[in-house]
Amino acid sequence: MVSGRERRLPPGTRPAVASLLLLLLLRRDAAAQKGDGCGYTVLGPESGTFTSINYPHAYPNSTVCEWEIRVKPEQRVQLKFGDFDIDDSDSCHFNYVRVYNGIGPTRTEIGKYCGLGLQVDKLNESKSNEITVQFMSDIHFYGHGFLASYSTTDKPDLITCLDTASHFSEPEFSKYCPAGCVLPFAEIYGTIPHGYRD
Ligand SMILES: *[C@@H]1O[C@H](CO)[C@@H](O)[C@H](O)[C@H]1NC(C)=O
Ligand SMILES: *[C@@H]1O[C@H](CO)[C@@H](O)[C@H](O)[C@H]1NC(C)=O
């Protein structure tokens, strides 16, 4: 189920050609992830889900991942963390999740985060239909990583794959389930045509 793969070019390929190819490949995708720290990733045009590598188990030392998320034009992105546990003994210097508005060289930082749990107050809306989420790890001794979901902001009832019915007090409710919750440790499922579809 892991959809993240590094694109490798044969040895000897000239770097200029390599980066041009990579650029073309990335431009064609609605969204992309790159690096060796990417875990389970499903990035759709309306919603998606992604985790740090090995989640729900500890992430390795010295990994990096960047998820470039692009939703439909004219929409904005809201991000929600279902679980967040990043070693903060270095005060977010070398182990962190960083969120940007936009993709590429013109992106601007929204914030850099580490520690346990993550309040989503400032992370809940992007300025445009694009955000970048970066995950960086260095030598660390605790932290099992994160699971995040996103959707367009016209879905105020977005949940993450880790929410279960016991989290809601109403006897009946309707929630927006993001793409990609078909995970062995997630409890969201449903029936077609009214229920959850990946
Ligand atoms: C990271 O490296 C340190 C020092 O080598 C080691 O003690 C620790 O177990 C490693 N952590 C992980 C998650 O591999
Ligand atoms: C985003 O957060 C602000 C306050 O921080 C809140 O007023 C707003 O409703 C939130 N938007 C969404 C889509 O959750």
Side-chain angles (χ1 to χ4, degrees):
M1 284 289 289
V2 177
S3 59
R5 289 201 206 295
E6 274 192 274
R7 296 183 175 103
R8 286 187 198 285
L9 290 157
T13 309
R14 292 211 317 275
V17 177
S19 46
L20 184 66
L21 274 176
L22 188 66
L23 201 73
L24 289 172
L25 285 167
L26 289 176
R27 283 186 74 90
R28 238 184 14 204
D29 292 342
Q33 79 271 15
K34 45 193 177 179
D36 59 2
C38 310
Y40 175 84
T41 300
V42 173
L43 304 179
E46 273 175 29
S47 66
T49 296
F50 53 97
T51 73
S52 49
I53 185 165
N54 297 346
Y55 183 87
H57 304 294
Y59 53 91
N61 286 327
S62 307
T63 57
V64 60
C65 181
E66 254 181 42
W67 291 269
E68 295 182 337
I69 295 165
R70 181 179 290 122
V71 295
K72 293 175 174 175
E74 312 300 321
Q75 295 281 354
R76 284 171 302 139
V77 193
Q78 60 181 340
L79 192 60
K80 205 164 187 175
F81 286 86
D83 187 14
F84 190 88
D85 180 13
I86 308 280
D87 190 328
D88 58 359
S89 50
D90 66 5
S91 312
C92 305
H93 274 102
F94 302 109
N95 291 278
Y96 58 81
V97 168
R98 194 188 251 177
V99 185
Y100 298 88
N101 262 312
I103 289 178
T106 58
R107 67 191 186 183
T108 55
E109 183 174 324
I110 298 175
K112 203 173 172 188
Y113 311 93
C114 62
L116 196 58
L118 182 56
Q119 297 306 312
V120 289
D121 49 340
K122 272 166 62 193
L123 289 178
N124 67 353
E125 277 179 29
S126 61
K127 285 188 184 150
S128 73
N129 68 325
E130 297 177 339
I131 61 166
T132 304
V133 179
Q134 188 182 62
F135 166 58
M136 196 76 86
S137 82
D138 194 28
I139 290 177
H140 64 282
F141 300 95
Y142 55 92
H144 64 256
F146 69 90
L147 178 145
S149 294
Y150 69 89
S151 74
T152 50
T153 51
D154 58 349
K155 312 284 193 287
D157 49 357
L158 170 70
I159 58 174
T160 77
C161 304
L162 300 177
D163 285 306
T164 63
S166 60
H167 295 170
F168 309 108
S169 53
E170 312 94 308
E172 274 186 41
F173 50 82
S174 155
K175 300 286 173 191
Y176 185 78
C177 301
C181 283
V182 183
L183 285 160
F185 50 85
E187 297 210 36
I188 293 177
Y189 52 90
T191 53
I192 294 170
H194 299 297
Y196 181 77
R197 287 187 299 149
D198 190 11

